[in-house]
Amino acid sequence: MADSMTQSAQISSSQGLADGQNSVAAKDTKMSDSFLSSSPVSLIQSPQVKDLVHWRDPKKSGVVFGLSLLTLLSLAAFSVISVVSYLLLALLCVTISFRIYKAVVQAVQKSDDGHPFKALMEKDVSVPPETFRKHVDASLTHINRLLKQLRKLFLVEDLIDSLKLAVVMWLLTYVGAVFNGITILILADILLFAVPPFYEKNKTQIDHYMEIARTQVNTTMAKLQEKLPGAIKRTKAE
């Protein structure tokens, strides 16, 4: 009788522990999903950005692409201070010229239309405290997530992930020897607007080759894990 009660208690304890682990795993998954949904990845996948990079509206996409590329090329040729100063100076020239033009037109026509930018001047440009706190909280979530990931990688919680980071950093040393940061941003801007339409036209073939490459990488990683000592292998539970 006592053995039966002991076994029942052990089973209940095991079930409670399993439920607790499942609830923790579910909570971590939920937190991860919420983080990803508010991360910059979700911004890139937003409908507005997708429409831009897929050239749904060629005029709008062309303007955005042209301005972004012109800005990056300017930063490559001049300092940040010079680029910002020229942009602000150009904006001032446009607004001052328009203000003078409207004043002359009103004087000639003897009309009293008022300030040409009156509608814009009356708009509220202040940032609501709720919006500010929302963005601060979102940024804090990203920072905490990044710190946790860096801790796992640099303290070698998972040897495979740390080795992946080491390989990426090693490759980036060669990239940095050839390109500077602005050049990489220019290439990224061009690829951002060039790759999506190309992928959309050749989706079937690209997906096929990507699946082959993914299978090859997974096979290589599995072989590497089999050669590692048992103490640092990934368990199936992970």
Side-chain angles (χ1 to χ4, degrees):
M1 184 68 177
D3 293 339
S4 300
M5 293 178 63
T6 303
Q7 291 177 355
S8 300
Q10 291 176 348
I11 293 173
S12 300
S13 177
S14 300
Q15 291 177 347
L17 180 60
D19 293 340
Q21 291 175 345
N22 291 334
S23 63
V24 171
K27 183 178 180 181
D28 291 341
T29 303
K30 184 177 180 182
M31 290 178 62
S32 177
D33 293 341
S34 63
F35 171 79
L36 290 175
S37 64
S38 61
S39 65
V41 176
S42 63
L43 177 62
I44 297 176
Q45 295 177 346
S46 65
Q48 294 83 358
V49 177
K50 280 188 174 182
D51 290 342
L52 280 176
V53 299
H54 284 87
W55 297 79
R56 303 284 187 247
D57 186 348
K59 291 183 179 180
K60 185 183 295 184
S61 298
V63 170
V64 174
F65 175 62
L67 290 177
S68 61
L69 187 60
L70 179 62
T71 302
L72 291 174
L73 290 174
S74 300
L75 290 173
F78 306 100
S79 66
V80 176
I81 296 177
S82 297
V83 173
V84 173
S85 299
Y86 279 123
L87 288 175
L88 295 179
L89 182 61
L91 180 62
L92 276 174
C93 289
V94 172
T95 54
I96 292 174
S97 299
F98 186 73
R99 177 74 172 86
I100 295 174
Y101 167 75
K102 294 297 291 186
V104 172
V105 170
Q106 291 177 17
V108 172
Q109 297 179 350
K110 298 181 179 180
S111 61
D112 189 15
D113 295 335
H115 200 286
F117 299 117
K118 183 179 180 181
L120 295 175
M121 294 173 64
E122 292 177 350
K123 285 188 176 181
D124 185 13
V125 295
S126 60
V127 180
E130 296 79 8
T131 303
F132 180 78
R133 284 193 292 267
K134 178 182 177 181
H135 289 291
V136 169
D137 292 340
S139 301
L140 186 60
T141 302
H142 298 328
I143 293 173
N144 290 334
R145 178 76 172 184
L146 177 62
L147 291 175
K148 290 179 181 179
Q149 291 296 330
L150 291 176
R151 182 185 62 185
K152 292 179 180 179
L153 291 171
F154 285 98
L155 297 183
V156 199
E157 180 176 325
D158 190 308
L159 181 61
I160 298 298
D161 289 340
S162 297
L163 288 175
K164 288 179 181 178
L165 178 64
V167 172
V168 171
M169 293 298 103
W170 178 68
L171 293 175
L172 286 179
T173 60
Y174 288 94
V175 174
V178 179
F179 305 105
N180 58 24
I182 293 297
T183 305
I184 293 175
L185 288 177
I186 293 173
L187 293 175
D189 186 55
I190 295 174
L191 291 175
L192 180 64
F193 283 88
V195 171
F198 177 78
Y199 173 76
E200 198 171 33
K201 293 179 181 178
N202 305 275
K203 186 176 185 299
T204 305
Q205 297 90 331
I206 294 175
D207 288 344
H208 173 68
Y209 289 113
M210 287 294 293
E211 185 62 30
I212 295 175
R214 189 181 298 110
T215 303
Q216 187 65 32
V217 170
N218 291 336
T219 303
T220 304
M221 296 304 299
K223 291 180 179 179
L224 180 60
Q225 282 183 276
E226 291 176 356
K227 296 180 181 180
L228 293 174
I232 55 177
K233 284 184 182 180
R234 287 180 176 174
T235 62
K236 292 183 178 180
E238 294 175 339

